[in-house]
């Protein structure tokens, strides 16, 4: 029996199920095989607070770029795993690469007053809103 699924242009899956069988060898690795960066963004009055989980990433391997209302976090991540059986290595896997996340906020950020703190694998960005960026309501004539 075939399964019907509703198409959503906002879906994270770029290919519908029709193409899954064709691409299975290419897409055989799951998202869990690759490092990811989970983020939380909160707004507190005149600032945003962004928390990004970066376990196993050192401070020196993280960079944050602010351009107007867009914040980009880049991190170099090295991850390895090893399976041993009585001293013999049976499998050893390594990943090295760059992970990144970009967030566009509703208000421009005052990059001169922004702060970044990284402790225990959590990067906390305090991002004050730029003064005078509250917008305004236009009166229709």
């Amino acid at each position: 029996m075939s399964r019907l699924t509703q198409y959503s242009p906002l879906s994270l899956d770029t290919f519908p199920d029709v193409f899954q069988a064709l691409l299975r060898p290419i897409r055989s690795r799951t998202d869990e095989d690759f490092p990811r960066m989970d983020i939380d963004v909160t707004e507190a009055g005149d600032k945003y607070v962004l928390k990004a989980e970066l376990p196993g990433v050192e401070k020196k391997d993280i960079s944050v770029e602010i351009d107007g209302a867009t914040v980009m976090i880049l991190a170099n991540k090295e991850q390895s795993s090893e399976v041993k059986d009585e001293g013999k290595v049976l499998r050893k896997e390594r990943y090295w690469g760059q992970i990144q996340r970009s967030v566009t906020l509703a208000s421009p950020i005052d990059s001169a007053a922004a702060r970044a703190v990284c402790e225990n694998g959590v990067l906390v960005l305090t991002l004050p809103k730029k003064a005078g960026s509250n917008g305004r309501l236009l009166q229709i004539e």
Side-chain angles (χ1 to χ4, degrees):
M1 175 177 264
S2 67
R3 185 181 72 172
L4 291 176
T5 57
Q6 183 176 1
Y7 172 74
S8 171
L10 302 176
S11 172
L12 294 176
D13 191 7
T14 55
F15 297 97
D17 286 341
V18 175
F19 298 107
Q20 293 300 322
L22 295 172
L23 296 176
R24 191 163 287 123
I26 297 170
R27 298 179 68 193
S28 64
R29 297 189 75 169
T30 64
D31 289 340
E32 293 156 6
D33 292 338
F34 298 104
R36 42 183 282 177
M37 183 188 319
D38 294 328
I39 63 171
D40 296 329
V41 180
T42 57
E43 183 176 10
D46 62 344
K47 66 181 175 186
Y48 296 102
V49 176
L50 187 147
K51 294 180 181 178
E53 292 182 8
L54 294 165
V57 178
E58 296 182 31
K59 292 178 189 180
K60 66 178 180 66
D61 294 330
I62 302 171
S63 69
V64 178
E65 298 174 12
I66 300 173
D67 184 14
T70 302
V71 179
M72 180 175 283
I73 303 169
L74 302 151
N76 291 321
K77 171 98 180 197
E78 185 174 337
Q79 178 176 323
S80 64
S81 65
E82 187 175 295
V83 177
K84 288 185 177 184
D85 184 13
E86 297 181 22
K88 288 192 317 188
V89 176
L90 297 178
R91 185 179 74 203
K92 190 170 188 174
E93 296 179 359
R94 288 173 292 289
Y95 171 84
W96 186 90
Q98 189 176 70
I99 53 176
Q100 65 182 22
R101 286 294 298 264
S102 180
V103 177
T104 301
L105 302 166
S107 301
I109 303 302
D110 183 1
S111 59
R115 293 192 46 219
V117 176
C118 186
E119 286 185 14
N120 300 324
V122 178
L123 175 68
V124 179
L125 302 178
T126 304
L127 308 165
K129 296 177 185 176
K130 192 172 270 190
S133 64
N134 295 338
R136 65 180 195 145
L137 182 63
L138 292 177
Q139 192 67 24
I140 300 181
E141 299 176 20

